[in-house]
Amino acid sequence: MEQLRGHLRAAWLSGKTRPLEYRLAQLEALGRFLEEKKQDILEALDLDMRKPPFEAEFSEVLLCKNELNTTLNNLSHWMKDEQVDKNLATQLDTAFIRRDPYGVVLIIAPCNYPIYLLLVPLIGAIAAGNCVVVRPSEITKNSKRLAVEVLPRYLDKVRSSLQGWLLPTRCTHWGCLRLGNPAMGRIVMTAAAKHLTPVMLELGGKNPCYVSDNCDVQNVARRVAWGRFFNAGQTCIGPNYILCSMEMKDKLVPALREAITTFYGPNPQESPDFARIVGDKQFRRVRALLCSGRVAIGGQTDEKERYIGEGSHFG
């Protein structure tokens, strides 16, 4: 581990990753990976969580391309010094903001969007001029294999060392970006705090959806159903629960039932447009939530397929 960090640190200190031309070349190589290996990405996501082709292409490929294009179009501007106002103490100085790379960055990716949440932080870290170590999720084995075995063919191997085995408890002296759940976030933060390593955590949250009494119920139901059941509900910004009056609840539940049938058919388990829970542990956790209230819609489970029927319940 120390040998890897030292190797990457030496590469960064050499100044190799700082020039605009070098950063652009690496980002363009990422673009070629997304273009040339799109079908491999879609197949890996299908094997990992039966992610539907539309969802996979939109959320794991197109959104990465959008991030990449935005970065390519703006990077030269972002790299320029930003002049700032001076106060009395700095009147004789030249005051500006210069965005320097941190050096070596560790990215720990989660399993719910295993390509998107690996590549988007990587795009930012490369654009900033860093060397990067990426730890793909162990749960999505096919996506991990693609990241570990195929992606390095497109990038400067001195710059981007992809390690599937890197433990979060070893993230010392790296700038660290962790996307995932709070439990793993605490492990990462604890390890980093011992060395004052800067950390950026994205840990999801709980997202209430307020439905007023004077809304278009059918429209709300379709939007909630799409946002909640996209990626089989495994989206950190998806609506977690609804706040509404009892009168609206009586209107909304049938509308949600109708929206679910429209999107996924009378038997959603057979729908080609509904993904599966990403892992066995995650399946059992979600299934246990069904006992916390009264199931209003769906609730069917199939552990072998890691399927949990779309629906809602009241606590």
Side-chain angles (χ1 to χ4, degrees), residues 196-241:
L196 299 180
T197 300
V199 176
M200 181 182 294
L201 300 176
E202 193 280 297
L203 306 177
K206 297 300 179 185
N207 308 302
C209 178
Y210 172 70
V211 180
S212 68
D213 287 336
N214 58 356
C215 71
D216 183 330
V217 179
Q218 301 300 325
N219 196 29
V220 167
R222 287 191 294 269
R223 291 179 177 179
V224 169
W226 181 84
R228 179 64 274 173
F229 303 125
F230 190 92
N231 200 36
Q234 299 164 111
T235 305
C236 62
I237 58 173
N240 290 101
Y241 57 94

mmCIF file of all heavy atoms in Angstrom, residues 196-241:
data_model
loop_
_atom_site.group_PDB
_atom_site.id
_atom_site.type_symbol
_atom_site.label_atom_id
_atom_site.label_comp_id
_atom_site.label_asym_id
_atom_site.label_seq_id
_atom_site.Cartn_x
_atom_site.Cartn_y
_atom_site.Cartn_z
ATOM 1 N N LEU A 196 -5.427 13.546 9.693
ATOM 2 C CA LEU A 196 -5.980 14.803 9.194
ATOM 3 C C LEU A 196 -6.146 14.762 7.672
ATOM 4 O O LEU A 196 -5.953 15.766 6.980
ATOM 5 C CB LEU A 196 -5.112 15.987 9.606
ATOM 6 C CG LEU A 196 -4.961 16.218 11.118
ATOM 7 C CD1 LEU A 196 -4.074 17.435 11.378
ATOM 8 C CD2 LEU A 196 -6.324 16.409 11.776
ATOM 9 N N THR A 197 -6.491 13.591 7.144
ATOM 10 C CA THR A 197 -6.707 13.445 5.711
ATOM 11 C C THR A 197 -8.044 14.057 5.322
ATOM 12 O O THR A 197 -9.074 13.718 5.912
ATOM 13 C CB THR A 197 -6.704 11.951 5.324
ATOM 14 O OG1 THR A 197 -5.434 11.383 5.669
ATOM 15 C CG2 THR A 197 -6.947 11.770 3.835
ATOM 16 N N PRO A 198 -8.075 14.968 4.362
ATOM 17 C CA PRO A 198 -9.361 15.551 3.947
ATOM 18 C C PRO A 198 -10.257 14.500 3.307
ATOM 19 O O PRO A 198 -9.804 13.667 2.521
ATOM 20 C CB PRO A 198 -8.951 16.627 2.934
ATOM 21 C CG PRO A 198 -7.598 16.228 2.466
ATOM 22 C CD PRO A 198 -6.932 15.523 3.609
ATOM 23 N N VAL A 199 -11.529 14.541 3.664
ATOM 24 C CA VAL A 199 -12.490 13.543 3.210
ATOM 25 C C VAL A 199 -13.745 14.240 2.699
ATOM 26 O O VAL A 199 -14.210 15.217 3.294
ATOM 27 C CB VAL A 199 -12.874 12.579 4.357
ATOM 28 C CG1 VAL A 199 -13.950 11.599 3.904
ATOM 29 C CG2 VAL A 199 -11.660 11.819 4.857
ATOM 30 N N MET A 200 -14.292 13.735 1.630
ATOM 31 C CA MET A 200 -15.598 14.174 1.150
ATOM 32 C C MET A 200 -16.514 12.960 1.157
ATOM 33 O O MET A 200 -16.232 11.947 0.504
ATOM 34 C CB MET A 200 -15.513 14.746 -0.268
ATOM 35 C CG MET A 200 -16.852 15.235 -0.810
ATOM 36 S SD MET A 200 -16.729 15.850 -2.516
ATOM 37 C CE MET A 200 -15.695 17.288 -2.248
ATOM 38 N N LEU A 201 -17.604 13.031 1.919
ATOM 39 C CA LEU A 201 -18.549 11.924 2.038
ATOM 40 C C LEU A 201 -19.874 12.296 1.389
ATOM 41 O O LEU A 201 -20.389 13.382 1.607
ATOM 42 C CB LEU A 201 -18.796 11.569 3.506
ATOM 43 C CG LEU A 201 -17.579 11.136 4.333
ATOM 44 C CD1 LEU A 201 -17.988 10.912 5.782
ATOM 45 C CD2 LEU A 201 -16.957 9.875 3.758
ATOM 46 N N GLU A 202 -20.416 11.382 0.592
ATOM 47 C CA GLU A 202 -21.767 11.522 0.053
ATOM 48 C C GLU A 202 -22.523 10.284 0.490
ATOM 49 O O GLU A 202 -22.297 9.193 -0.029
ATOM 50 C CB GLU A 202 -21.718 11.642 -1.476
ATOM 51 C CG GLU A 202 -23.036 12.094 -2.100
ATOM 52 C CD GLU A 202 -24.040 10.960 -2.230
ATOM 53 O OE1 GLU A 202 -23.769 10.004 -2.946
ATOM 54 O OE2 GLU A 202 -25.107 11.054 -1.575
ATOM 55 N N LEU A 203 -23.404 10.432 1.474
ATOM 56 C CA LEU A 203 -23.981 9.280 2.157
ATOM 57 C C LEU A 203 -25.492 9.167 1.986
ATOM 58 O O LEU A 203 -26.145 8.459 2.727
ATOM 59 C CB LEU A 203 -23.639 9.345 3.659
ATOM 60 C CG LEU A 203 -22.140 9.474 3.969
ATOM 61 C CD1 LEU A 203 -21.918 9.597 5.473
ATOM 62 C CD2 LEU A 203 -21.360 8.294 3.412
ATOM 63 N N GLY A 204 -26.043 9.852 1.008
ATOM 64 C CA GLY A 204 -27.490 9.743 0.799
ATOM 65 C C GLY A 204 -28.258 10.475 1.879
ATOM 66 O O GLY A 204 -27.764 11.384 2.536
ATOM 67 N N GLY A 205 -29.496 10.067 2.094
ATOM 68 C CA GLY A 205 -30.327 10.727 3.097
ATOM 69 C C GLY A 205 -31.765 10.280 2.976
ATOM 70 O O GLY A 205 -32.079 9.338 2.251
ATOM 71 N N LYS A 206 -32.628 10.930 3.712
ATOM 72 C CA LYS A 206 -34.057 10.645 3.658
ATOM 73 C C LYS A 206 -34.756 11.812 2.982
ATOM 74 O O LYS A 206 -34.569 12.958 3.375
ATOM 75 C CB LYS A 206 -34.614 10.424 5.071
ATOM 76 C CG LYS A 206 -34.007 9.223 5.793
ATOM 77 C CD LYS A 206 -34.275 7.936 5.028
ATOM 78 C CE LYS A 206 -33.651 6.738 5.730
ATOM 79 N NZ LYS A 206 -33.807 5.507 4.921
ATOM 80 N N ASN A 207 -35.551 11.496 1.980
ATOM 81 C CA ASN A 207 -36.130 12.540 1.141
ATOM 82 C C ASN A 207 -37.649 12.500 1.200
ATOM 83 O O ASN A 207 -38.286 11.682 0.536
ATOM 84 C CB ASN A 207 -35.667 12.342 -0.310
ATOM 85 C CG ASN A 207 -34.164 12.213 -0.408
ATOM 86 O OD1 ASN A 207 -33.434 13.096 0.011
ATOM 87 N ND2 ASN A 207 -33.690 11.096 -0.938
ATOM 88 N N PRO A 208 -38.261 13.370 1.975
ATOM 89 C CA PRO A 208 -39.729 13.414 2.026
ATOM 90 C C PRO A 208 -40.303 14.031 0.762
ATOM 91 O O PRO A 208 -39.681 14.878 0.123
ATOM 92 C CB PRO A 208 -40.005 14.299 3.248
ATOM 93 C CG PRO A 208 -38.799 15.190 3.334
ATOM 94 C CD PRO A 208 -37.638 14.361 2.876
ATOM 95 N N CYS A 209 -41.484 13.594 0.404
ATOM 96 C CA CYS A 209 -42.199 14.148 -0.741
ATOM 97 C C CYS A 209 -43.546 14.653 -0.225
ATOM 98 O O CYS A 209 -44.390 13.861 0.211
ATOM 99 C CB CYS A 209 -42.397 13.079 -1.812
ATOM 100 S SG CYS A 209 -43.330 13.642 -3.238
ATOM 101 N N TYR A 210 -43.735 15.959 -0.235
ATOM 102 C CA TYR A 210 -44.978 16.545 0.253
ATOM 103 C C TYR A 210 -45.970 16.664 -0.899
ATOM 104 O O TYR A 210 -45.657 17.215 -1.961
ATOM 105 C CB TYR A 210 -44.728 17.926 0.865
ATOM 106 C CG TYR A 210 -46.007 18.656 1.209
ATOM 107 C CD1 TYR A 210 -46.810 18.229 2.267
ATOM 108 C CD2 TYR A 210 -46.422 19.738 0.451
ATOM 109 C CE1 TYR A 210 -47.995 18.882 2.568
ATOM 110 C CE2 TYR A 210 -47.604 20.399 0.743
ATOM 111 C CZ TYR A 210 -48.386 19.962 1.806
ATOM 112 O OH TYR A 210 -49.564 20.605 2.090
ATOM 113 N N VAL A 211 -47.178 16.148 -0.701
ATOM 114 C CA VAL A 211 -48.228 16.199 -1.709
ATOM 115 C C VAL A 211 -49.372 17.043 -1.156
ATOM 116 O O VAL A 211 -50.007 16.675 -0.164
ATOM 117 C CB VAL A 211 -48.735 14.787 -2.070
ATOM 118 C CG1 VAL A 211 -49.828 14.868 -3.136
ATOM 119 C CG2 VAL A 211 -47.572 13.921 -2.551
ATOM 120 N N SER A 212 -49.640 18.168 -1.794
ATOM 121 C CA SER A 212 -50.699 19.061 -1.316
ATOM 122 C C SER A 212 -52.071 18.574 -1.785
ATOM 123 O O SER A 212 -52.182 17.774 -2.721
ATOM 124 C CB SER A 212 -50.455 20.483 -1.819
ATOM 125 O OG SER A 212 -50.616 20.541 -3.220
ATOM 126 N N ASP A 213 -53.100 19.085 -1.156
ATOM 127 C CA ASP A 213 -54.466 18.643 -1.477
ATOM 128 C C ASP A 213 -54.954 19.148 -2.831
ATOM 129 O O ASP A 213 -55.927 18.628 -3.371
ATOM 130 C CB ASP A 213 -55.439 19.114 -0.383
ATOM 131 C CG ASP A 213 -55.268 18.329 0.907
ATOM 132 O OD1 ASP A 213 -54.774 17.177 0.832
ATOM 133 O OD2 ASP A 213 -55.612 18.861 1.980
ATOM 134 N N ASN A 214 -54.322 20.157 -3.381
ATOM 135 C CA ASN A 214 -54.803 20.729 -4.636
ATOM 136 C C ASN A 214 -53.910 20.390 -5.827
ATOM 137 O O ASN A 214 -53.886 21.100 -6.829
ATOM 138 C CB ASN A 214 -54.948 22.254 -4.523
ATOM 139 C CG ASN A 214 -53.629 22.916 -4.152
ATOM 140 O OD1 ASN A 214 -52.629 22.237 -3.918
ATOM 141 N ND2 ASN A 214 -53.623 24.235 -4.097
ATOM 142 N N CYS A 215 -53.158 19.292 -5.734
ATOM 143 C CA CYS A 215 -52.256 18.909 -6.820
ATOM 144 C C CYS A 215 -52.985 18.025 -7.836
ATOM 145 O O CYS A 215 -54.107 17.567 -7.608
ATOM 146 C CB CYS A 215 -51.044 18.172 -6.274
ATOM 147 S SG CYS A 215 -51.442 16.525 -5.677
ATOM 148 N N ASP A 216 -52.315 17.771 -8.963
ATOM 149 C CA ASP A 216 -52.794 16.813 -9.958
ATOM 150 C C ASP A 216 -52.369 15.422 -9.498
ATOM 151 O O ASP A 216 -51.210 15.038 -9.632
ATOM 152 C CB ASP A 216 -52.182 17.150 -11.323
ATOM 153 C CG ASP A 216 -52.682 16.248 -12.441
ATOM 154 O OD1 ASP A 216 -53.014 15.083 -12.156
ATOM 155 O OD2 ASP A 216 -52.742 16.703 -13.589
ATOM 156 N N VAL A 217 -53.294 14.646 -8.959
ATOM 157 C CA VAL A 217 -52.952 13.380 -8.306
ATOM 158 C C VAL A 217 -52.305 12.402 -9.282
ATOM 159 O O VAL A 217 -51.309 11.733 -8.949
ATOM 160 C CB VAL A 217 -54.203 12.747 -7.660
ATOM 161 C CG1 VAL A 217 -53.846 11.413 -7.010
ATOM 162 C CG2 VAL A 217 -54.808 13.700 -6.641
ATOM 163 N N GLN A 218 -52.853 12.291 -10.473
ATOM 164 C CA GLN A 218 -52.309 11.340 -11.443
ATOM 165 C C GLN A 218 -50.873 11.720 -11.826
ATOM 166 O O GLN A 218 -49.996 10.849 -11.930
ATOM 167 C CB GLN A 218 -53.200 11.300 -12.695
ATOM 168 C CG GLN A 218 -54.643 10.900 -12.435
ATOM 169 C CD GLN A 218 -54.749 9.515 -11.826
ATOM 170 O OE1 GLN A 218 -53.968 8.621 -12.141
ATOM 171 N NE2 GLN A 218 -55.715 9.329 -10.936
ATOM 172 N N ASN A 219 -50.640 12.990 -12.000
ATOM 173 C CA ASN A 219 -49.305 13.452 -12.353
ATOM 174 C C ASN A 219 -48.319 13.189 -11.222
ATOM 175 O O ASN A 219 -47.196 12.713 -11.439
ATOM 176 C CB ASN A 219 -49.358 14.944 -12.688
ATOM 177 C CG ASN A 219 -48.121 15.412 -13.434
ATOM 178 O OD1 ASN A 219 -47.502 14.635 -14.157
ATOM 179 N ND2 ASN A 219 -47.772 16.665 -13.254
ATOM 180 N N VAL A 220 -48.732 13.471 -9.997
ATOM 181 C CA VAL A 220 -47.885 13.222 -8.838
ATOM 182 C C VAL A 220 -47.569 11.734 -8.715
ATOM 183 O O VAL A 220 -46.425 11.336 -8.473
ATOM 184 C CB VAL A 220 -48.559 13.732 -7.552
ATOM 185 C CG1 VAL A 220 -47.835 13.206 -6.316
ATOM 186 C CG2 VAL A 220 -48.583 15.254 -7.538
ATOM 187 N N ALA A 221 -48.580 10.891 -8.894
ATOM 188 C CA ALA A 221 -48.385 9.449 -8.759
ATOM 189 C C ALA A 221 -47.362 8.935 -9.761
ATOM 190 O O ALA A 221 -46.485 8.118 -9.419
ATOM 191 C CB ALA A 221 -49.718 8.723 -8.935
ATOM 192 N N ARG A 222 -47.445 9.405 -11.001
ATOM 193 C CA ARG A 222 -46.487 8.962 -12.015
ATOM 194 C C ARG A 222 -45.070 9.418 -11.672
ATOM 195 O O ARG A 222 -44.104 8.657 -11.828
ATOM 196 C CB ARG A 222 -46.903 9.494 -13.389
ATOM 197 C CG ARG A 222 -48.127 8.785 -13.975
ATOM 198 C CD ARG A 222 -48.329 9.159 -15.440
ATOM 199 N NE ARG A 222 -48.666 10.565 -15.602
ATOM 200 C CZ ARG A 222 -49.906 11.044 -15.622
ATOM 201 N NH1 ARG A 222 -50.932 10.219 -15.490
ATOM 202 N NH2 ARG A 222 -50.124 12.339 -15.787
ATOM 203 N N ARG A 223 -44.958 10.661 -11.196
ATOM 204 C CA ARG A 223 -43.622 11.165 -10.867
ATOM 205 C C ARG A 223 -43.030 10.438 -9.662
ATOM 206 O O ARG A 223 -41.839 10.114 -9.647
ATOM 207 C CB ARG A 223 -43.699 12.669 -10.601
ATOM 208 C CG ARG A 223 -43.998 13.485 -11.848
ATOM 209 C CD ARG A 223 -44.091 14.974 -11.543
ATOM 210 N NE ARG A 223 -44.317 15.753 -12.748
ATOM 211 C CZ ARG A 223 -44.453 17.069 -12.769
ATOM 212 N NH1 ARG A 223 -44.378 17.762 -11.630
ATOM 213 N NH2 ARG A 223 -44.660 17.709 -13.909
ATOM 214 N N VAL A 224 -43.851 10.202 -8.652
ATOM 215 C CA VAL A 224 -43.363 9.497 -7.461
ATOM 216 C C VAL A 224 -42.972 8.065 -7.814
ATOM 217 O O VAL A 224 -41.925 7.565 -7.389
ATOM 218 C CB VAL A 224 -44.420 9.516 -6.338
ATOM 219 C CG1 VAL A 224 -44.033 8.564 -5.214
ATOM 220 C CG2 VAL A 224 -44.594 10.930 -5.792
ATOM 221 N N ALA A 225 -43.816 7.391 -8.602
ATOM 222 C CA ALA A 225 -43.524 6.010 -8.977
ATOM 223 C C ALA A 225 -42.228 5.938 -9.785
ATOM 224 O O ALA A 225 -41.389 5.050 -9.567
ATOM 225 C CB ALA A 225 -44.687 5.419 -9.775
ATOM 226 N N TRP A 226 -42.049 6.864 -10.710
ATOM 227 C CA TRP A 226 -40.811 6.856 -11.500
ATOM 228 C C TRP A 226 -39.595 7.126 -10.616
ATOM 229 O O TRP A 226 -38.593 6.402 -10.679
ATOM 230 C CB TRP A 226 -40.887 7.911 -12.599
ATOM 231 C CG TRP A 226 -39.652 7.931 -13.449
ATOM 232 C CD1 TRP A 226 -39.371 7.142 -14.515
ATOM 233 C CD2 TRP A 226 -38.498 8.781 -13.257
ATOM 234 N NE1 TRP A 226 -38.124 7.443 -15.020
ATOM 235 C CE2 TRP A 226 -37.572 8.445 -14.276
ATOM 236 C CE3 TRP A 226 -38.177 9.790 -12.353
ATOM 237 C CZ2 TRP A 226 -36.338 9.086 -14.392
ATOM 238 C CZ3 TRP A 226 -36.948 10.422 -12.473
ATOM 239 C CH2 TRP A 226 -36.051 10.066 -13.478
ATOM 240 N N GLY A 227 -39.675 8.148 -9.781
ATOM 241 C CA GLY A 227 -38.530 8.497 -8.943
ATOM 242 C C GLY A 227 -38.208 7.445 -7.905
ATOM 243 O O GLY A 227 -37.038 7.219 -7.581
ATOM 244 N N ARG A 228 -39.245 6.780 -7.369
ATOM 245 C CA ARG A 228 -39.004 5.790 -6.327
ATOM 246 C C ARG A 228 -38.519 4.455 -6.882
ATOM 247 O O ARG A 228 -37.637 3.818 -6.302
ATOM 248 C CB ARG A 228 -40.294 5.566 -5.536
ATOM 249 C CG ARG A 228 -40.224 4.521 -4.417
ATOM 250 C CD ARG A 228 -39.278 4.909 -3.305
ATOM 251 N NE ARG A 228 -37.888 4.531 -3.536
ATOM 252 C CZ ARG A 228 -36.890 4.896 -2.764
ATOM 253 N NH1 ARG A 228 -37.068 5.664 -1.724
ATOM 254 N NH2 ARG A 228 -35.661 4.522 -3.047
ATOM 255 N N PHE A 229 -39.055 4.020 -8.010
ATOM 256 C CA PHE A 229 -38.775 2.664 -8.485
ATOM 257 C C PHE A 229 -37.715 2.616 -9.573
ATOM 258 O O PHE A 229 -37.372 1.532 -10.031
ATOM 259 C CB PHE A 229 -40.073 1.995 -8.949
ATOM 260 C CG PHE A 229 -41.109 1.959 -7.867
ATOM 261 C CD1 PHE A 229 -42.376 2.486 -8.065
ATOM 262 C CD2 PHE A 229 -40.816 1.429 -6.622
ATOM 263 C CE1 PHE A 229 -43.323 2.477 -7.053
ATOM 264 C CE2 PHE A 229 -41.755 1.415 -5.598
ATOM 265 C CZ PHE A 229 -43.017 1.935 -5.817
ATOM 266 N N PHE A 230 -37.225 3.767 -10.001
ATOM 267 C CA PHE A 230 -36.059 3.786 -10.884
ATOM 268 C C PHE A 230 -34.907 3.079 -10.175
ATOM 269 O O PHE A 230 -34.652 3.313 -8.994
ATOM 270 C CB PHE A 230 -35.685 5.233 -11.208
ATOM 271 C CG PHE A 230 -34.650 5.382 -12.289
ATOM 272 C CD1 PHE A 230 -35.028 5.533 -13.605
ATOM 273 C CD2 PHE A 230 -33.297 5.377 -11.972
ATOM 274 C CE1 PHE A 230 -34.074 5.682 -14.608
ATOM 275 C CE2 PHE A 230 -32.341 5.519 -12.959
ATOM 276 C CZ PHE A 230 -32.722 5.669 -14.289
ATOM 277 N N ASN A 231 -34.222 2.188 -10.869
ATOM 278 C CA ASN A 231 -33.113 1.425 -10.271
ATOM 279 C C ASN A 231 -33.579 0.599 -9.073
ATOM 280 O O ASN A 231 -32.850 0.407 -8.103
ATOM 281 C CB ASN A 231 -31.974 2.361 -9.863
ATOM 282 C CG ASN A 231 -30.656 1.634 -9.715
ATOM 283 O OD1 ASN A 231 -30.345 0.713 -10.456
ATOM 284 N ND2 ASN A 231 -29.851 2.039 -8.734
ATOM 285 N N ALA A 232 -34.831 0.114 -9.155
ATOM 286 C CA ALA A 232 -35.425 -0.690 -8.076
ATOM 287 C C ALA A 232 -35.389 0.036 -6.740
ATOM 288 O O ALA A 232 -35.260 -0.583 -5.677
ATOM 289 C CB ALA A 232 -34.738 -2.058 -7.964
ATOM 290 N N GLY A 233 -35.508 1.365 -6.784
ATOM 291 C CA GLY A 233 -35.547 2.145 -5.552
ATOM 292 C C GLY A 233 -34.201 2.434 -4.938
ATOM 293 O O GLY A 233 -34.128 3.049 -3.868
ATOM 294 N N GLN A 234 -33.123 2.010 -5.585
ATOM 295 C CA GLN A 234 -31.782 2.156 -5.010
ATOM 296 C C GLN A 234 -31.119 3.456 -5.489
ATOM 297 O O GLN A 234 -30.077 3.453 -6.130
ATOM 298 C CB GLN A 234 -30.940 0.934 -5.377
ATOM 299 C CG GLN A 234 -31.534 -0.356 -4.840
ATOM 300 C CD GLN A 234 -30.964 -1.596 -5.498
ATOM 301 O OE1 GLN A 234 -30.238 -2.356 -4.864
ATOM 302 N NE2 GLN A 234 -31.298 -1.815 -6.761
ATOM 303 N N THR A 235 -31.769 4.561 -5.162
ATOM 304 C CA THR A 235 -31.273 5.879 -5.527
ATOM 305 C C THR A 235 -31.331 6.768 -4.297
ATOM 306 O O THR A 235 -32.398 6.932 -3.692
ATOM 307 C CB THR A 235 -32.133 6.493 -6.651
ATOM 308 O OG1 THR A 235 -32.182 5.596 -7.762
ATOM 309 C CG2 THR A 235 -31.556 7.823 -7.109
ATOM 310 N N CYS A 236 -30.203 7.361 -3.934
ATOM 311 C CA CYS A 236 -30.144 8.090 -2.661
ATOM 312 C C CYS A 236 -31.043 9.323 -2.657
ATOM 313 O O CYS A 236 -31.463 9.775 -1.594
ATOM 314 C CB CYS A 236 -28.713 8.473 -2.334
ATOM 315 S SG CYS A 236 -27.953 9.569 -3.551
ATOM 316 N N ILE A 237 -31.355 9.879 -3.824
ATOM 317 C CA ILE A 237 -32.206 11.067 -3.862
ATOM 318 C C ILE A 237 -33.642 10.731 -4.269
ATOM 319 O O ILE A 237 -34.443 11.624 -4.532
ATOM 320 C CB ILE A 237 -31.636 12.136 -4.806
ATOM 321 C CG1 ILE A 237 -31.480 11.579 -6.223
ATOM 322 C CG2 ILE A 237 -30.320 12.672 -4.273
ATOM 323 C CD1 ILE A 237 -31.085 12.632 -7.240
ATOM 324 N N GLY A 238 -33.988 9.439 -4.312
ATOM 325 C CA GLY A 238 -35.366 9.056 -4.588
ATOM 326 C C GLY A 238 -36.260 9.391 -3.398
ATOM 327 O O GLY A 238 -35.800 9.445 -2.256
ATOM 328 N N PRO A 239 -37.560 9.626 -3.633
ATOM 329 C CA PRO A 239 -38.471 9.933 -2.515
ATOM 330 C C PRO A 239 -38.600 8.742 -1.571
ATOM 331 O O PRO A 239 -38.943 7.639 -1.994
ATOM 332 C CB PRO A 239 -39.804 10.242 -3.217
ATOM 333 C CG PRO A 239 -39.692 9.580 -4.553
ATOM 334 C CD PRO A 239 -38.255 9.620 -4.934
ATOM 335 N N ASN A 240 -38.308 8.968 -0.302
ATOM 336 C CA ASN A 240 -38.382 7.892 0.695
ATOM 337 C C ASN A 240 -39.771 7.735 1.300
ATOM 338 O O ASN A 240 -40.205 6.620 1.588
ATOM 339 C CB ASN A 240 -37.382 8.148 1.828
ATOM 340 C CG ASN A 240 -35.953 7.967 1.380
ATOM 341 O OD1 ASN A 240 -35.261 8.934 1.113
ATOM 342 N ND2 ASN A 240 -35.508 6.725 1.258
ATOM 343 N N TYR A 241 -40.444 8.852 1.526
ATOM 344 C CA TYR A 241 -41.778 8.769 2.125
ATOM 345 C C TYR A 241 -42.591 9.985 1.716
ATOM 346 O O TYR A 241 -42.036 11.004 1.277
ATOM 347 C CB TYR A 241 -41.703 8.646 3.646
ATOM 348 C CG TYR A 241 -40.968 9.753 4.354
ATOM 349 C CD1 TYR A 241 -41.657 10.857 4.864
ATOM 350 C CD2 TYR A 241 -39.586 9.698 4.536
ATOM 351 C CE1 TYR A 241 -40.983 11.873 5.519
ATOM 352 C CE2 TYR A 241 -38.906 10.713 5.191
ATOM 353 C CZ TYR A 241 -39.614 11.803 5.681
ATOM 354 O OH TYR A 241 -38.944 12.810 6.326
#
